[in-house]
Amino acid sequence: MNSLAQDSQKAAARVGLVSDSITIHGGKPLRGRVEVRGAKNLVTKAMVASLLADTPSTLKGVPEISDVAVVSGLLKAHGVAIDSSAPGVLTLDPSNVVGAHFAEIDAHAGSSRIPILFCGPLLHQLGEAFIPDLGGCRIGDRPIDFHLNALRAFGAVVEKSYQGIHLTAPQKLVGADIELPFPSVGATEQVLLTAVRAEGTTELKNAAIEPEIMDLIAILQKMGAIISVEPNRVIVIEGVETLRGYTHTAIFDRNEAASWAAAALATGGDITVGGATQQELMTFLNVYRKVGGEFDVLEDGIRFWHPGGPLKPVMIETDVHPGFMTDWQQPLIVALTQAEGESVVHETVYENRFGFTEALNEMGANIVVHQSGLASITRRVPRRPLEQAAVITGPTPLHGADVRVPDLRGGFSHLIAALAAEGTSTVSNVGIISRGYELFIDKLRQLGADFELPSAVASDTAR
Ligand code: EPZ
């Protein structure tokens, strides 16, 4: 069994998913309402932030996804007591933080990148931290040079070994002036989670300003931190001695919301996404309307539907916030296979994020990937060949096929394609999808999808 299938089975077992594949009878519009809870890309970081406090934190809107289970395992390995007092509510008590053996960290982390964000809090709490070899979706090299350079700037000592990276803080960590070569979400979170308790002031230039970053800043401020967000991607953090626990409801998962919106368009359906708000989806909503999708902003969510008639091709360039998010292109590309004409999607954040299109072409799509991009777009991440472009020519009818999920967002696009296609498809490695899509099988059932769950997940992969 290859490592992706192993990761998928582990992820599936973590959330009690009974099957690692799904058989879909497509061609039926999805109709109905689904609820979206807290963002995977905020909740996992908010859980880590609880390590910085000397009293318990309460986080609400926590989705039942595999990545949350991974972080819970890592926190427990470091002595944090975690209690789920109600559905979607976690209480995290860091009163007895302890070091964990790297083998235990490695076992828990598996294919997640989250351990790197434990560095700052553990260096403050214990003067030591350890990062195993990091995994995450296979959408690019995903180096951590920005993270390590920032930690060194605070005074951490970084030692690489074949087991991973060992960090120590012989002296107290001290505030620093840091300029990121690219507004990396992870590196910005790294600086925030370290600077809040470092001695003195940190000025972070070229910071990421995604809604999840702003929500993390709100949490840290509730804990007692002093953080000011200034114009032009500058964030200034004045370190404090101690922080207290927070109580916070996580921002909704805009990636999941955009994915269900794309599913409504590709299947000719009508889906209301409860919990979604307009502010965080502005750029997506503009593109959605340009393609020909309709939406209605409601009190408690957003309704997305296909108004009938032909869809229109678009030009999209992924970018950092407030641009079009790289995590939105995979689900939306399925709908673009049904647009009348040629769409072009330029991926500028990751260097290998069109792998999922192979399976869509097997299902009848007409997508050509240009490894070197099509236009003279300025490189985004320095030193990295990142311009890739996909040209999607439509409309071409989709038909059923057996496909294997390659990564989280690519996996959801495969689900959408199978639902939109005429005939039957089997999508395997669906455990990967449970890393970031809460209860997606139940939601497909709610939306009237026609499917079966063939095979049971081997129980011994449970962790
Ligand atoms: C976060 O990843 C999200 N993951 C990603 O979502 C999202 O695509 C990404 O931000 C961009 O918005 C989580 O929050 C867990 P980056 P992250 O650091 O922090 C390069 C999903 O599907 N880089 O902003 O890893 C990097 O290789 C996931 O939910 C360096 O070169 O993203 C990439 O090309 C996928 N060196 C670019 O910057 C570094 O040290 C953006 O990465 C760090 C990053």
Side-chain angles (χ1 to χ4, degrees), residues 40-41 44-45 113 139 142-147 182-187 189 210 255 325-327 349-351 353 381 384 386 408-409:
K40 164 181 87 73
N41 295 345
T44 48
K45 307 358 171 0
R113 302 179 61 74
I139 54 180
R142 308 191 78 177
I144 55 171
D145 49 338
F146 304 167
H147 294 254
F182 174 81
S184 149
V185 169
E189 293 160 341
E210 270 66 7
N255 292 346
M325 242 210 126
T326 168
D327 305 334
V349 177
Y350 289 104
E351 65 273 29
R353 204 160 200 186
V381 181
R384 306 258 303 286
L386 272 178
L408 176 61
R409 308 298 168 191

Side-chain angles (χ1 to χ4, degrees), residues 11 19 22 57 69 87 89 92 123 144 227 277 301 337 439 456:
S19 170
I22 179 171
S57 295
V89 179
L92 308 119
L123 285 170
I144 55 171
I227 306 174
T277 54
T337 65
L439 304 171

Side-chain angles (χ1 to χ4, degrees), residues 10-24:
K10 274 192 180 164
R14 279 193 198 103
V15 291
L17 196 57
V18 292
S19 170
D20 197 27
S21 66
I22 179 171
T23 297
I24 293 174

